[in-house]
Amino acid sequence: MTATCLVVMGVSGAGKSTVAQLLAQQLDRPSAEADEFHPEANIAKMTAGVPLTDEDRMPWLWRIRDWITRHATSGTNTIVTCSSLKRTYRDVLRQARANVRFLHLSGSAETIEGRLTSRSGHFMPSSLLRSQFDDLEPLHPDEAGLTVDIVDTPQDIVRQTLAALDPGTCHAAR
């Protein structure tokens, strides 16, 4: 059976890291934080308040895809955070040798901006949030995944996710 990777996606400040960490603990899976895969040039741009281009994002997405594949080839199910704002970005991740599924953490710009302004220790300034919302393409009906509103607590989001997804494969339970 092919290993599965659950990609926790959404704009900066949606709660990807928190939810992914809780899911990784619940499902006993290794996880990765997409920010760790950014080339230094990308971090420098974002820190300076400059939005990334598609060209900037491709090497980053390839690194995440390759991480997923490395784990999948050993049969390990994983969880990774990645904004995955556009379908073309998600297409790159789906090139991994794994069943790649998405959990889109969705929320209003006001809610997320409030979170970003109270967050410290992250290179992504809240001034870039608008550019992320401008780029965001929600999951299409033919993309394997689930969209969850972030109004609930991270623990409630994890419960909703586990109830909606087959925990063994992270496929939508039907």
Side-chain angles (χ1 to χ4, degrees):
M1 176 178 248
T2 304
T4 298
C5 178
L6 179 62
V7 178
V8 181
M9 64 170 279
V11 298
S12 185
K16 296 182 298 291
S17 298
T18 301
V19 170
Q21 182 179 39
L22 291 170
L23 283 165
Q25 290 170 354
Q26 283 277 328
L27 297 171
D28 192 27
R29 292 186 178 182
S31 63
E33 176 65 46
D35 289 342
E36 296 170 11
F37 295 88
H38 271 299
E40 287 186 31
N42 285 8
I43 293 172
K45 278 182 93 167
M46 289 184 283
T47 301
V50 178
L52 297 179
T53 65
D54 289 351
E55 186 176 300
D56 294 327
R57 287 187 176 102
M58 282 305 134
W60 171 64
L61 292 164
W62 295 332
R63 288 177 178 178
I64 297 167
R65 177 203 60 201
D66 294 347
W67 181 89
I68 295 168
T69 294
R70 276 193 304 278
H71 283 81
T73 56
S74 68
T76 304
N77 295 320
T78 56
I79 295 175
V80 66
T81 65
C82 180
S83 55
S84 303
L85 298 174
K86 295 182 181 181
R87 183 183 180 122
T88 56
Y89 305 165
R90 296 188 295 271
D91 288 345
V92 170
L93 298 179
R94 277 192 292 269
Q95 292 170 1
R97 292 188 194 111
N99 289 321
V100 178
R101 305 290 179 253
F102 297 92
L103 171 61
H104 178 192
L105 301 181
S106 179
S108 71
E110 296 78 26
T111 298
I112 294 174
E113 186 171 11
R115 290 179 176 190
L116 283 177
T117 55
S118 65
R119 180 167 79 172
S120 63
H122 195 276
F123 58 81
M124 176 79 167
S126 60
S127 62
L128 291 180
L129 183 59
R130 176 55 29 212
S131 70
Q132 288 208 330
F133 270 104
D134 289 346
D135 282 348
L136 179 63
E137 296 173 3
L139 291 173
H140 293 79
D142 65 331
E143 292 184 282
L146 174 70
T147 299
V148 177
D149 194 309
I150 62 164
V151 295
D152 291 323
T153 67
Q155 294 79 8
D156 286 338
I157 290 170
V158 167
R159 278 192 283 281
Q160 290 173 39
T161 301
L162 294 175
L165 300 177
D166 176 338
T169 62
C170 287
H171 289 86
R174 298 199 193 267

